[in-house]
Amino acid sequence: MESLEQIKARAERAVSGAQIAIVPNPGPAQQSSLLIDNEHAFAVARFLRDDPTLRLDFCSNVTGVDWLDRVVKKTVKMKRLVDGEEKEVDETTEEKIPGYLEAVYHLYSMTHKHGPVIIRIRTRDRGDGARLPSLTTIWRSAEFQEREIFDLYGVRFDGHPDLRRILMWDEFVDYPMRKDYREPDDYEWEPTPHDEVLEKAKRHYTQRPELDGAEKITAGGDALNR
Amino acid sequence: MTEPIDERLRSELQQHGVWVTSMQELYNWGRKNSIWPLQFGLACCAIEMIATAASRYDIARFGGEIFRPSPRQADLMIVAGTVTKKMAPQIVRLYNQMADPKYVIAMGACAISGGPFKQGYNVLKGIDRYIPVDVYIPGCPPRPEALLHAFMELQRKIDSQKLSGADKAEHLKPEQPSEFPVPLFGEHDLESSANPGVFHPPEIERA
């Protein structure tokens, strides 16, 4: 199969105006992906499916990713004149990146037996602008998975034939897979709580005003020594 | 109900070929040996339940082989698997549609408490929050022997139920509810998250 750079170059030639960026993956999987702009995502996806040498006719997986607002700190070594001498100084720049949601598609070719090619599309923000073009009409298998992303991440897919919640009930308003989701408090009965569960369960504990302070005796014997 | 028969007299009569019994014993004997479970499964525990019903473990030996596809014809609800919050109202609705007397076995960690998914936003933390449970089976999933054991425990429970008197079986008391409110789908969670008339968690007092 062609390299990602070749695919990017050919797709940009085939779809005029398309802006494609390669998102590198430095992890052991080495699965870098193509980030496609929203306006041309549909046309690029059609190119990936119909191009005779690529023919990515099978979309095996669609998933969502939630990226919160984040600050990226970059430290660059700069040469500066300090007291008439040239010295190397570390310069730190902070870049604020507003949050967004992503849909990631894993594409394979049944015809040529190659893949995966991974493409991403990003929403403008995590609020009203959480919209993406639906690729269901190109890969029919994306239908349920785009519904799942809509259900759990709250991304609206324009052009989807049947955009409803698929796992949660229709009356539900939250998006549970978002990183800022807070689950309902039903921790009233936790027999063996620990860590975060302990913190949540403690809100339901009954206080015992009749205690005489004996419960404060610790293994170290602090209360006894005082 | 009259005075219970003397056990020694009964065994003596039995040796002479006369079988003496009471209405209650006969009634419970018939009921406990013909428990028809409701045929439905929710997750991997259901696979063990199917194995229990099949030839190797053969729940038919205990009179429980007739799995009914309709709640109207079932005596026993085996809650076999994870109860998601989306599924919980349907489980309660099925229970409400079953005719009295009816029994519930909570099979496996998920049906008891939510199990490994307890802290998930989408899993009910135990079916006993909405309907009364007669027998709990721990395990993930429980082996078929454990389900058979629970079945035998349930048979013992049925056998010991009284038909009259102050301590008669719950389903014979007209003031006891046989249907329970179906939880509603709310905006963030089920409404309500438990039925206080059924769910009585032991109150642990901690400092």
Side-chain angles (χ1 to χ4, degrees):
Chain A
M1 199 179 61
E2 297 167 289
S3 71
L4 226 48
E5 285 78 12
Q6 287 170 308
I7 296 173
K8 168 180 145 63
R10 285 211 303 125
E12 279 174 339
R13 239 177 294 136
V15 182
S16 63
Q19 290 166 345
I20 305 175
I22 293 176
V23 182
N25 181 351
Q30 296 281 314
Q31 286 191 332
S32 302
S33 49
L34 295 173
L35 177 67
I36 307 170
D37 67 310
N38 289 354
E39 275 99 286
H40 302 92
F42 192 84
V44 172
R46 185 185 297 245
F47 164 78
L48 292 176
R49 187 194 64 179
D50 293 341
D51 181 69
T53 55
L54 280 172
R55 217 174 286 284
L56 299 162
D57 48 13
F58 175 56
C59 174
S60 85
N61 183 39
V62 188
T63 189
V65 189
D66 182 15
W67 296 93
L68 294 172
D69 299 347
R70 63 187 197 271
V71 177
V72 177
K73 279 186 184 171
K74 278 184 186 162
T75 313
V76 189
K77 290 208 167 168
M78 299 272 284
K79 288 203 171 166
R80 278 253 183 93
L81 278 173
V82 183
D83 304 331
E85 256 181 90
E86 201 171 74
K87 276 188 180 173
E88 273 202 348
V89 185
D90 287 351
E91 192 128 304
T92 312
T93 51
E94 284 191 357
E95 192 191 356
K96 273 190 186 168
I97 300 174
Y100 50 83
L101 297 150
E102 245 176 17
V104 185
Y105 295 71
H106 285 229
L107 311 172
Y108 289 82
S109 172
M110 285 285 156
T111 321
H112 298 313
K113 308 264 182 278
H114 65 214
V117 170
I118 303 156
I119 62 170
R120 293 162 184 262
I121 36 181
R122 267 177 202 174
T123 66
R124 204 175 69 237
D125 54 53
R126 299 172 75 257
D128 296 334
R131 303 188 85 90
L132 287 176
S134 169
L135 304 184
T136 298
T137 40
I138 293 173
W139 295 288
R140 193 60 210 277
S141 58
E143 182 185 343
F144 274 18
Q145 310 214 23
E146 284 181 353
R147 270 179 72 185
E148 193 179 330
I149 296 174
F150 165 69
D151 189 355
L152 303 179
Y153 291 90
V155 178
R156 266 156 222 291
F157 285 91
D158 297 318
H160 191 283
D162 182 26
L163 196 66
R164 287 178 293 132
R165 284 189 182 268
I166 189 168
L167 294 170
M168 305 305 287
W169 50 89
D170 291 336
E171 292 87 349
F172 199 71
V173 294
D174 301 328
Y175 302 113
M177 289 292 273
R178 285 202 187 185
K179 285 174 179 167
D180 50 4
Y181 170 71
R182 290 288 162 266
E183 63 199 351
D185 182 17
D186 48 3
Y187 288 83
E188 60 267 49
W189 167 231
E190 296 292 331
T192 54
H194 52 84
D195 301 340
E196 307 103 75
V197 180
L198 178 62
E199 293 304 311
K200 286 171 182 166
K202 269 183 178 169
R203 281 180 234 146
H204 295 277
Y205 283 1
T206 46
Q207 291 300 315
R208 284 198 294 178
E210 76 281 7
L211 285 178
D212 55 359
E215 77 284 356
K216 294 203 181 80
I217 298 173
T218 57
D222 289 358
L224 284 175
N225 295 338
R226 229 172 275 140
Chain B
M1 273 298 184
T2 51
E3 286 289 299
I5 189 166
D6 180 52
E7 279 301 316
R8 273 168 55 199
L9 175 64
R10 180 149 88 162
S11 67
E12 205 182 312
L13 282 168
Q14 230 178 74
Q15 284 166 14
H16 292 92
V18 181
W19 189 272
V20 183
T21 184
S22 66
M23 191 61 211
Q24 178 181 296
E25 277 175 28
L26 193 67
Y27 180 73
N28 283 344
W29 172 80
R31 284 196 313 132
K32 80 168 188 183
N33 289 306
S34 170
I35 302 173
W36 292 11
L38 184 57
Q39 187 177 41
F40 81 107
L42 297 172
C44 29
C45 282
I47 306 296
E48 300 297 306
M49 183 180 73
I50 294 160
T52 315
S55 55
R56 190 177 181 94
Y57 297 97
D58 197 10
I59 206 169
R61 295 177 293 155
F62 304 90
E65 77 277 24
I66 308 180
F67 279 81
R68 301 310 293 182
S70 162
R72 304 284 185 203
Q73 303 166 351
D75 309 305
L76 167 66
M77 175 183 252
I78 303 174
V79 184
T82 317
V83 186
T84 58
K85 284 176 179 170
K86 200 174 178 182
M87 194 66 189
Q90 277 70 261
I91 304 283
V92 179
R93 205 167 275 128
L94 281 173
Y95 179 82
N96 287 347
Q97 289 175 1
M98 285 164 66
D100 262 333
K102 49 190 171 183
Y103 302 93
V104 177
I105 290 178
M107 181 180 182
C110 294
I112 294 173
S113 69
F117 314 109
K118 189 177 169 84
Q119 264 74 49
Y121 58 90
N122 58 337
V123 173
L124 186 70
K125 294 180 174 183
I127 191 62
D128 56 359
R129 284 170 174 254
Y130 296 120
I131 55 175
V133 175
D134 294 280
V135 186
Y136 296 85
I137 321 173
C140 187
R143 285 194 53 86
E145 291 93 332
L147 180 55
L148 289 178
H149 182 220
F151 204 79
M152 288 158 73
E153 284 296 324
L154 183 68
Q155 288 183 327
R156 273 181 213 120
K157 184 168 185 168
I158 294 172
D159 207 24
S160 65
Q161 283 188 328
K162 301 269 193 307
L163 293 188
S164 59
D167 56 344
K168 64 184 172 188
E170 295 290 297
H171 66 268
L172 297 171
K173 295 175 184 163
E175 72 276 10
Q176 287 290 334
S178 69
E179 291 184 13
F180 293 93
V182 177
L184 301 169
F185 290 133
E187 290 189 345
H188 306 285
D189 196 7
L190 288 176
E191 290 169 1
S192 56
S193 72
N195 178 3
V198 179
F199 183 55
H200 306 290
E203 197 167 289
I204 299 178
E205 289 188 341
R206 286 181 246 229

